Amino acid sequence: MTTILDTSFLLATVNSKDNNHRPVIDVVSNLKEKLVLQMTVLTEISYLIVSRLGHHKMRHFLAELVKSNVIIEGIGNSRSLSEVSAEISGIC
C-alpha cells in the first residue's frame, strides 16, 4: 500500500501547536507503507513552515525528510529526497 502525504498532515507533524499534532505523530510512528510526497506539496510545505514557524524549522524538516524513506514524485519521475538534494547541490 502507498500513502500520499499532504500539506496539512505534514504541517501538523512540525507544528506542536497544531490541534492535530499529537494524532498525526501517532499515525507517523505507526506507518509502514511506502510514503510518497508530490514535488508541488514539498514546495508548499516548505513555504508554509518558513512563513509560520521560521527558517530553522524548515531546515530541520528537510533534514529529517532526507533521512526518511519518503519518495518524491514530480511530473513523470520518482526519486528520493537525497537524490533531489544531490542534484540541487551540484547546481548551486
Side-chain angles (χ1 to χ4, degrees), residues 52-71:
R52 295 181 184 183
L53 304 172
H55 193 262
H56 67 284
K57 283 279 194 180
M58 187 270 296
R59 289 180 57 88
H60 179 75
F61 169 78
L62 292 177
E64 292 298 314
L65 199 56
V66 167
K67 294 187 284 187
S68 74
N69 63 346
V70 173
I71 301 297

Side-chain angles (χ1 to χ4, degrees), residues 22-35:
R22 178 55 28 212
V24 165
I25 294 299
D26 291 342
V27 167
V28 168
S29 64
N30 293 311
L31 280 176
K32 295 181 183 19
E33 293 87 0
K34 175 180 163 184
L35 303 175

Side-chain angles (χ1 to χ4, degrees), residues 69-88:
N69 63 346
V70 173
I71 301 297
I72 307 298
E73 284 196 349
I75 298 172
N77 63 15
S78 298
R79 300 182 286 175
S80 71
L81 189 57
S82 58
E83 291 171 317
V84 172
S85 178
E87 182 178 316
I88 291 170

